[in-house]
Amino acid sequence: MLEDIEDGAAAATRLAGGAPLQSTLDVADPGDWLALDAGVREVAWHRPQFLPGWEHSAPLPADLTQLGESRLAVALCHRDGRIRQEAVRQSVRYPGLLPLVVIRCADWVGPVREHARQLLREALNVDSALDLAPLILRVGRRDRGAFGVEVLGQILRQASHGQLAVLFADPDRIVRRFAYRLAIEGRLLRPAELARAAARDQDTVVQDLCATAALTALGDEDAYEDVLPPLLSARNPRTRSAGVTALRRAGRSEQAELFLSDRSALVRACARYVVRQQGGEPAAWYRERCTAPGDPELPPGAVIGLAECGNRADAGLLRPLLAHPAAGIRARAVAGLRALDCVDAKQMRPLLDDPAAGVVRETATALLPSAKELPADWLWERTSSERPRHVRVGAFRLLDARGGIVALRAAVGLFEDPDIKLRTWAGQSVQRWHPSPDGRRGDAEVGELLDRSRHLFSDHMLRRRKWEAGVDS
């Protein structure tokens, strides 16, 4: 695999010396062809320090008709457009050079581009199109690259389901999107197959494309038996939400209750819509499940779901859940109280010492509006290296939100923290620090803290910060 332009230049040198194409680069990897092209052509324009030696030791002859496959590959990438144009004409002798013809179809030189496009149109068939699809689609993102994509679509519209299937598993999501669009356009996939593809693929565009197509293609209720299970059991929330919304159309709205406590907010919202359309009341469903604060079977999604569709009076059901044995429940209870604008800073404070990072993260977020009301010394204690990392992070977020000398003191104090990310955040906090308008000017401690942060500033910026704080340099 050629990883960069230098690798491409090295491969070009070997090819110019007559090394076989197949042993020099991975001919199935579109990245290798693109790296070779850049290594021969772009390196000579933009990075002359990497000018390959073959330009002097083994220059290309004026007559390209006698060149073998390896040296003709170099000629197809040459920085001289006239050489590339003649190389395109000669490439018909070597079908293995078709990937470079694909690249030349987006060439900036008109004659090179037109000859390459004519050759590609004549040479491409279904089998070669399947092999070249990843490269054509990558080149298609370039200026003048649309031609290859258009021709590829024309050819692959003649492909069968089995032939296109190889592209459904391609690691490049752009290739998968293209293949699924063609399959949907040609109605090559049954609704059940589309549903499984939506549940399996990790790309959100493919998920939406296939889920929508699967549900659109359905015409009778019986067909839902094969389509809904993959959608409703999918790991990705976008696909699950499509399945939940389809429950109403399938006449199975009662099943939407199972998803009211889903871990995804999108799925919960879709489930509430379906339940309401059936005449149900999601808020009442959530309240019923949140009335037992010690219930070990209480799903976290039900807790935050209550906040999403309830009212401020429901805070009374959420507060007891702050002491629930499950960390997920405690975290959702904090998030729910924040959503209802019912945060009691005094009640929340102990949760900054929670053993679960998720709970502390939600607590710090909930307390941010009240940061200036929290005792600075109490927060400062929690930035000690003896505390767990997530506690130090939560305390620092709140100290930083206070601004002024308190934030500066906390950030400088974390310069020696054992966690590199926390040290980095502390440094960034100091760099964006400015004195508070109501702060005391001329505070000697500010000057001392800024001096300890000298490595973060240029001399000019350090003097400017000190001037803003009224501290002499």
Side-chain angles (χ1 to χ4, degrees):
M1 177 180 179
L2 308 183
E3 296 184 355
D4 50 36
I5 195 169
E6 288 85 356
D7 285 351
T13 300
R14 292 195 296 273
L15 291 173
L21 196 65
Q22 288 75 13
S23 64
T24 304
L25 66 158
D26 182 354
V27 295
D29 184 354
D32 275 26
W33 292 105
L34 294 170
L36 174 64
D37 179 53
V40 177
R41 187 161 54 97
E42 296 181 20
V43 74
W45 288 344
H46 304 300
R47 305 176 74 172
Q49 66 271 30
F50 291 112
L51 190 63
W54 64 265
E55 291 264 11
H56 306 291
S57 61
L60 296 174
D63 181 9
L64 303 185
T65 58
Q66 303 303 314
L67 288 183
E69 183 181 47
S70 298
R71 300 197 74 198
L72 190 58
V74 176
L76 277 164
C77 306
H78 201 277
R79 67 180 184 275
D80 189 326
R82 290 165 297 185
I83 294 178
R84 295 200 303 278
Q85 182 179 353
E86 180 59 26
V88 169
R89 292 195 183 97
Q90 300 300 323
S91 66
V92 294
R93 297 185 284 121
Y94 298 104
L97 296 178
L98 195 56
L100 291 174
V101 174
V102 170
I103 297 174
R104 296 283 70 82
C105 286
D107 201 282
W108 72 276
V109 177
V112 177
R113 191 167 63 244
E114 293 308 316
H115 279 90
R117 290 178 175 182
Q118 181 180 351
L119 180 57
L120 181 66
R121 191 184 289 110
E122 295 170 353
L124 209 60
N125 55 40
V126 171
D127 291 334
S128 60
L130 290 170
D131 293 336
L132 292 172
L135 176 61
I136 293 174
L137 292 171
R138 285 184 66 171
V139 174
R141 305 171 204 174
R142 298 179 173 183
D143 290 341
R144 302 174 291 272
F147 171 84
V149 178
E150 182 180 344
V151 172
L152 179 68
Q154 293 171 356
I155 297 296
L156 290 186
R157 284 184 179 89
Q158 306 167 24
S160 66
H161 174 194
Q163 290 173 313
L164 272 183
V166 67
L167 301 183
F168 298 155
D170 195 278
D172 188 339
R173 61 185 179 180
I174 303 298
V175 175
R176 300 200 304 278
R177 292 174 186 177
F178 186 83
Y180 277 116
R181 285 191 177 104
L182 288 178
I184 291 168
E185 178 187 322
R187 298 186 177 182
L188 299 179
L189 295 173
R190 298 189 305 274
E193 293 175 304
L194 289 167
R196 287 194 293 270
R200 178 180 63 246
D201 204 282
Q202 298 301 308
D203 180 56
T204 56
V205 174
V206 172
Q207 293 165 14
D208 290 346
L209 194 67
C210 291
T212 301
L215 296 172
T216 301
L218 293 177
D220 57 83
E221 291 188 8
D222 293 337
Y224 282 94
E225 294 291 344
D226 296 325
V227 172
L228 286 180
L231 298 181
L232 294 173
S233 60
R235 293 187 61 186
N236 53 80
R238 299 175 71 91
T239 304
R240 287 203 310 280
S241 66
V244 169
T245 305
L247 287 171
R248 179 170 175 257
R249 177 181 162 192
R252 305 178 186 183
S253 298
E254 68 282 353
Q255 294 182 22
E257 280 195 354
L258 299 174
F259 296 90
L260 287 172
S261 59
D262 194 272
R263 62 184 180 273
S264 164
L266 175 63
V267 177
R268 292 193 300 270
C270 292
R272 288 194 293 269
Y273 164 78
V274 175
V275 169
R276 288 192 184 104
Q277 293 300 307
Q278 192 189 17
E281 180 49 58
W285 187 92
Y286 288 127
R287 290 183 185 114
E288 180 181 351
R289 276 146 189 81
C290 293
T291 51
D295 181 7
E297 302 299 323
L298 177 63
V303 179
I304 190 63
L306 176 58
E308 289 167 344
C309 69
N311 52 54
R312 290 172 62 87
D314 293 314
L317 292 174
L318 296 181
R319 289 192 181 99
L321 297 175
L322 296 174
H324 196 279
I329 298 294
R330 297 196 302 276
R332 300 306 187 281
V334 173
L337 289 170
R338 179 168 62 89
L340 293 172
D341 194 21
C342 292
V343 173
D344 182 336
K346 184 177 180 180
Q347 185 183 37
M348 291 281 190
R349 274 179 53 183
L351 291 173
L352 274 179
D353 293 318
D354 197 278
V359 177
V360 174
R361 183 167 53 249
E362 289 289 354
T363 302
T365 301
L367 290 175
L368 280 175
S370 308
K372 292 187 177 181
E373 301 170 14
L374 299 174
D377 291 343
W378 181 83
L379 290 173
W380 174 259
E381 291 175 7
R382 278 146 185 79
T383 63
S384 167
S385 60
E386 298 176 358
R387 300 277 182 165
R389 179 188 181 276
H390 63 273
V391 173
R392 302 200 306 276
V393 170
F396 177 60
R397 285 182 65 192
L398 294 168
L399 286 165
D400 187 50
R402 292 173 65 105
I405 190 172
V406 172
L408 182 61
R409 187 186 300 130
V412 174
L414 288 172
F415 284 173
E416 303 299 326
D417 192 272
D419 184 78
I420 186 171
K421 285 188 177 181
L422 192 48
R423 294 198 304 270
T424 301
W425 293 336
Q428 293 169 344
S429 174
V430 172
Q431 288 175 320
R432 64 174 180 265
W433 181 87
H434 292 277
S436 297
D438 56 351
R440 180 165 61 91
R441 288 181 59 80
D443 191 331
E445 185 184 1
V446 171
E448 179 187 346
L449 292 171
L450 289 174
D451 283 335
R452 290 174 59 186
S453 311
R454 184 179 297 275
H455 61 287
L456 298 172
F457 298 100
S458 66
D459 291 341
H460 168 72
M461 288 306 299
L462 183 61
R463 287 195 302 270
R464 184 180 178 87
R465 287 288 189 276
K466 286 187 173 184
W467 175 81
E468 290 178 4
V471 178
D472 294 333
S473 297

